Amino acid sequence: MPHGLAAAPAPLPLADVDLADNDRFTDGELPWRMFDTLRREDPVHWQPEPAPHHGFWAVTRHADIVRVDRDPETFTSTRFTNLEEVDDGQIAVRRSLLETDGLRHQALRRLLQRRFTPRAVAAYGDFLRGLTARTLDAALAKGGFDFVTEVAADFPINVLARMLDVPEGDTRRLIDWGNRIIGNTDPDYADVLLESAESERYRNLPFRSPAALEVFAYGRELAAKRRGGSGVDLVSMLVNQTPRDGIALSQEDFDNYFLLLVVAGNETTRHAISHTMLALMNHPGEMAKLQADPSLIPNAVEEFLRWASPIYHFRRTATRDVTLGGKRIKEGDKVVLWFASGNRDEAVFEDPYRFDVTRRNNGHVTFGKGSPHFCLGSSLARLEMRIMFEELLPRLAGIRLTGPVRRVRSNFVNGIKELPVEVVPA
């Protein structure tokens, strides 16, 4: 697409906005229309929810998102980070790194933090490049294939398998678990839909997903083998260290940490890669720039991340009465940060609906921005995406869609579940 103003979403009446309706997120345009309306007309918006939930404040402007995300004392994660309203018993058994703040959060992060520094993940460069080449060669040889299944899902899960030190043959199981857990509102993925009455049986499991039990069993088997050893894989580091606050990991702590690694280490990068490929197909001029000058790719990765916004939101809970965006938020209210909306904020990004691989000063909030909860795997995700497109783009003489793009039915994960393509190898 040539430079110049790109079209913003078609106007949508404020009365038609409903961020609680998962069905609205299977449309590739409607979520952005809702966000656009909210930023313009009601940037801190009260969104009702179906009973038994009580509704939430939708925060859609970049500055407000950053403010809330940087203030865990006022907007805590400890009351949960998804929209589901949970009681104290559920919080106690389902709490993960995401649902902690303060010293405990720091202590849990530090267990694995050194394995995710830029320097540490750079050591995976050669492995990643070889893995990428094998993945792409196998997919492109088919001519026509589903990009999600053959490329976007296959690549990051193999990186995770290496970091966990699990057999490559187990990667299909890891992908399946991630689909079933994160896709708990999508009938194509979920064992039990989150909004169904049956989900009450699984209320003490992450995402109310029965698949969590399989992940727990798998993680516990690995832990039993690694405990007391000298391994440097992620499981060994979890079971053979005591957090700096002196509070050892309980069984629930380990289970939930391991499940978070399985899900977060695969799903978000997978969807970011898929969205990027779709954007490049829709903006062939931008793809041509990267093919002509691969040195642009590291900077372009930031635009990929802004554009993809693989997680729509995370939730906080107000710890006291507070004013935000002119609205009076009460203690105990859910406050939901719509990161995807912040990544299209006109006050921060010039012409935000233009996909621009040469964009500079890209202050996206995809990983959080200056937040205590800044994504632990951000350096790894950036490296994975850079290497993926450094290897992919030179291999393409042409690529086109051959069918509809199917999206995950979720207002949490901005996911593509099917991206059928046909390629002409270079």
PDB file of all heavy atoms in Angstrom, residues 295-310:
ATOM      1  N   SER A 295      17.679  -5.818   5.578  1.00  0.00           N
ATOM      2  CA  SER A 295      18.138  -5.118   6.781  1.00  0.00           C
ATOM      3  C   SER A 295      17.008  -4.341   7.454  1.00  0.00           C
ATOM      4  O   SER A 295      17.147  -3.912   8.606  1.00  0.00           O
ATOM      5  CB  SER A 295      19.281  -4.159   6.445  1.00  0.00           C
ATOM      6  OG  SER A 295      18.821  -3.039   5.704  1.00  0.00           O
ATOM      7  N   LEU A 296      15.876  -4.165   6.753  1.00  0.00           N
ATOM      8  CA  LEU A 296      14.720  -3.495   7.338  1.00  0.00           C
ATOM      9  C   LEU A 296      13.943  -4.398   8.300  1.00  0.00           C
ATOM     10  O   LEU A 296      13.114  -3.911   9.071  1.00  0.00           O
ATOM     11  CB  LEU A 296      13.766  -3.025   6.240  1.00  0.00           C
ATOM     12  CG  LEU A 296      14.260  -1.965   5.256  1.00  0.00           C
ATOM     13  CD1 LEU A 296      13.206  -1.729   4.181  1.00  0.00           C
ATOM     14  CD2 LEU A 296      14.589  -0.669   5.989  1.00  0.00           C
ATOM     15  N   ILE A 297      14.184  -5.700   8.259  1.00  0.00           N
ATOM     16  CA  ILE A 297      13.335  -6.642   8.991  1.00  0.00           C
ATOM     17  C   ILE A 297      13.390  -6.444  10.503  1.00  0.00           C
ATOM     18  O   ILE A 297      12.335  -6.451  11.161  1.00  0.00           O
ATOM     19  CB  ILE A 297      13.644  -8.089   8.582  1.00  0.00           C
ATOM     20  CG1 ILE A 297      13.193  -8.307   7.129  1.00  0.00           C
ATOM     21  CG2 ILE A 297      12.950  -9.090   9.515  1.00  0.00           C
ATOM     22  CD1 ILE A 297      13.499  -9.685   6.567  1.00  0.00           C
ATOM     23  N   PRO A 298      14.559  -6.253  11.140  1.00  0.00           N
ATOM     24  CA  PRO A 298      14.538  -6.079  12.600  1.00  0.00           C
ATOM     25  C   PRO A 298      13.637  -4.934  13.053  1.00  0.00           C
ATOM     26  O   PRO A 298      12.890  -5.085  14.032  1.00  0.00           O
ATOM     27  CB  PRO A 298      16.009  -5.817  12.939  1.00  0.00           C
ATOM     28  CG  PRO A 298      16.764  -6.542  11.868  1.00  0.00           C
ATOM     29  CD  PRO A 298      15.937  -6.344  10.621  1.00  0.00           C
ATOM     30  N   ASN A 299      13.684  -3.803  12.367  1.00  0.00           N
ATOM     31  CA  ASN A 299      12.785  -2.705  12.719  1.00  0.00           C
ATOM     32  C   ASN A 299      11.339  -3.053  12.371  1.00  0.00           C
ATOM     33  O   ASN A 299      10.408  -2.714  13.115  1.00  0.00           O
ATOM     34  CB  ASN A 299      13.191  -1.430  11.981  1.00  0.00           C
ATOM     35  CG  ASN A 299      12.222  -0.286  12.243  1.00  0.00           C
ATOM     36  OD1 ASN A 299      12.206   0.300  13.310  1.00  0.00           O
ATOM     37  ND2 ASN A 299      11.395   0.037  11.244  1.00  0.00           N
ATOM     38  N   ALA A 300      11.150  -3.741  11.256  1.00  0.00           N
ATOM     39  CA  ALA A 300       9.795  -4.111  10.833  1.00  0.00           C
ATOM     40  C   ALA A 300       9.121  -5.021  11.845  1.00  0.00           C
ATOM     41  O   ALA A 300       7.890  -5.021  11.956  1.00  0.00           O
ATOM     42  CB  ALA A 300       9.840  -4.781   9.464  1.00  0.00           C
ATOM     43  N   VAL A 301       9.895  -5.801  12.591  1.00  0.00           N
ATOM     44  CA  VAL A 301       9.307  -6.690  13.593  1.00  0.00           C
ATOM     45  C   VAL A 301       8.453  -5.900  14.582  1.00  0.00           C
ATOM     46  O   VAL A 301       7.406  -6.389  15.029  1.00  0.00           O
ATOM     47  CB  VAL A 301      10.406  -7.487  14.328  1.00  0.00           C
ATOM     48  CG1 VAL A 301       9.867  -8.143  15.600  1.00  0.00           C
ATOM     49  CG2 VAL A 301      10.991  -8.554  13.400  1.00  0.00           C
ATOM     50  N   GLU A 302       8.856  -4.681  14.907  1.00  0.00           N
ATOM     51  CA  GLU A 302       8.055  -3.878  15.835  1.00  0.00           C
ATOM     52  C   GLU A 302       6.711  -3.523  15.212  1.00  0.00           C
ATOM     53  O   GLU A 302       5.681  -3.492  15.902  1.00  0.00           O
ATOM     54  CB  GLU A 302       8.818  -2.624  16.251  1.00  0.00           C
ATOM     55  CG  GLU A 302      10.146  -2.906  16.944  1.00  0.00           C
ATOM     56  CD  GLU A 302      10.019  -3.886  18.098  1.00  0.00           C
ATOM     57  OE1 GLU A 302       9.135  -3.681  18.963  1.00  0.00           O
ATOM     58  OE2 GLU A 302      10.798  -4.872  18.130  1.00  0.00           O
ATOM     59  N   GLU A 303       6.693  -3.263  13.914  1.00  0.00           N
ATOM     60  CA  GLU A 303       5.430  -3.011  13.234  1.00  0.00           C
ATOM     61  C   GLU A 303       4.600  -4.280  13.145  1.00  0.00           C
ATOM     62  O   GLU A 303       3.359  -4.251  13.278  1.00  0.00           O
ATOM     63  CB  GLU A 303       5.676  -2.438  11.835  1.00  0.00           C
ATOM     64  CG  GLU A 303       4.413  -2.113  11.051  1.00  0.00           C
ATOM     65  CD  GLU A 303       3.640  -0.886  11.568  1.00  0.00           C
ATOM     66  OE1 GLU A 303       3.883  -0.451  12.708  1.00  0.00           O
ATOM     67  OE2 GLU A 303       2.782  -0.381  10.818  1.00  0.00           O
ATOM     68  N   PHE A 304       5.264  -5.420  12.944  1.00  0.00           N
ATOM     69  CA  PHE A 304       4.546  -6.699  12.942  1.00  0.00           C
ATOM     70  C   PHE A 304       3.808  -6.882  14.277  1.00  0.00           C
ATOM     71  O   PHE A 304       2.637  -7.290  14.319  1.00  0.00           O
ATOM     72  CB  PHE A 304       5.511  -7.878  12.774  1.00  0.00           C
ATOM     73  CG  PHE A 304       6.288  -7.909  11.482  1.00  0.00           C
ATOM     74  CD1 PHE A 304       7.380  -8.762  11.350  1.00  0.00           C
ATOM     75  CD2 PHE A 304       5.960  -7.097  10.402  1.00  0.00           C
ATOM     76  CE1 PHE A 304       8.110  -8.826  10.168  1.00  0.00           C
ATOM     77  CE2 PHE A 304       6.695  -7.142   9.217  1.00  0.00           C
ATOM     78  CZ  PHE A 304       7.776  -8.012   9.110  1.00  0.00           C
ATOM     79  N   LEU A 305       4.511  -6.596  15.365  1.00  0.00           N
ATOM     80  CA  LEU A 305       3.939  -6.796  16.699  1.00  0.00           C
ATOM     81  C   LEU A 305       2.804  -5.818  16.972  1.00  0.00           C
ATOM     82  O   LEU A 305       1.786  -6.181  17.568  1.00  0.00           O
ATOM     83  CB  LEU A 305       5.040  -6.650  17.755  1.00  0.00           C
ATOM     84  CG  LEU A 305       6.081  -7.773  17.770  1.00  0.00           C
ATOM     85  CD1 LEU A 305       7.316  -7.354  18.558  1.00  0.00           C
ATOM     86  CD2 LEU A 305       5.494  -9.050  18.350  1.00  0.00           C
ATOM     87  N   ARG A 306       2.981  -4.566  16.551  1.00  0.00           N
ATOM     88  CA  ARG A 306       1.910  -3.584  16.721  1.00  0.00           C
ATOM     89  C   ARG A 306       0.680  -3.996  15.934  1.00  0.00           C
ATOM     90  O   ARG A 306      -0.443  -3.979  16.436  1.00  0.00           O
ATOM     91  CB  ARG A 306       2.386  -2.201  16.238  1.00  0.00           C
ATOM     92  CG  ARG A 306       1.326  -1.103  16.395  1.00  0.00           C
ATOM     93  CD  ARG A 306       1.755   0.198  15.724  1.00  0.00           C
ATOM     94  NE  ARG A 306       1.574   0.146  14.273  1.00  0.00           N
ATOM     95  CZ  ARG A 306       0.449   0.498  13.641  1.00  0.00           C
ATOM     96  NH1 ARG A 306      -0.620   0.886  14.330  1.00  0.00           N
ATOM     97  NH2 ARG A 306       0.382   0.436  12.325  1.00  0.00           N
ATOM     98  N   TRP A 307       0.883  -4.371  14.692  1.00  0.00           N
ATOM     99  CA  TRP A 307      -0.221  -4.693  13.798  1.00  0.00           C
ATOM    100  C   TRP A 307      -0.942  -5.961  14.249  1.00  0.00           C
ATOM    101  O   TRP A 307      -2.163  -6.028  14.254  1.00  0.00           O
ATOM    102  CB  TRP A 307       0.298  -4.859  12.377  1.00  0.00           C
ATOM    103  CG  TRP A 307      -0.761  -4.959  11.336  1.00  0.00           C
ATOM    104  CD1 TRP A 307      -1.294  -6.094  10.799  1.00  0.00           C
ATOM    105  CD2 TRP A 307      -1.431  -3.864  10.698  1.00  0.00           C
ATOM    106  NE1 TRP A 307      -2.248  -5.787   9.864  1.00  0.00           N
ATOM    107  CE2 TRP A 307      -2.357  -4.411   9.782  1.00  0.00           C
ATOM    108  CE3 TRP A 307      -1.339  -2.479  10.806  1.00  0.00           C
ATOM    109  CZ2 TRP A 307      -3.179  -3.627   8.985  1.00  0.00           C
ATOM    110  CZ3 TRP A 307      -2.156  -1.688  10.010  1.00  0.00           C
ATOM    111  CH2 TRP A 307      -3.067  -2.263   9.118  1.00  0.00           C
ATOM    112  N   ALA A 308      -0.182  -6.961  14.642  1.00  0.00           N
ATOM    113  CA  ALA A 308      -0.771  -8.260  14.994  1.00  0.00           C
ATOM    114  C   ALA A 308      -1.546  -8.192  16.308  1.00  0.00           C
ATOM    115  O   ALA A 308      -2.641  -8.750  16.420  1.00  0.00           O
ATOM    116  CB  ALA A 308       0.325  -9.320  15.097  1.00  0.00           C
ATOM    117  N   SER A 309      -0.975  -7.532  17.324  1.00  0.00           N
ATOM    118  CA  SER A 309      -1.624  -7.452  18.638  1.00  0.00           C
ATOM    119  C   SER A 309      -2.263  -8.794  19.011  1.00  0.00           C
ATOM    120  O   SER A 309      -3.480  -8.918  19.119  1.00  0.00           O
ATOM    121  CB  SER A 309      -2.688  -6.351  18.643  1.00  0.00           C
ATOM    122  OG  SER A 309      -2.123  -5.088  18.403  1.00  0.00           O
ATOM    123  N   PRO A 310      -1.453  -9.846  19.232  1.00  0.00           N
ATOM    124  CA  PRO A 310      -2.022 -11.193  19.391  1.00  0.00           C
ATOM    125  C   PRO A 310      -2.866 -11.399  20.640  1.00  0.00           C
ATOM    126  O   PRO A 310      -3.646 -12.347  20.697  1.00  0.00           O
ATOM    127  CB  PRO A 310      -0.785 -12.102  19.397  1.00  0.00           C
ATOM    128  CG  PRO A 310       0.344 -11.198  19.781  1.00  0.00           C
ATOM    129  CD  PRO A 310       0.017  -9.864  19.230  1.00  0.00           C
TER     130      PRO A 310
END
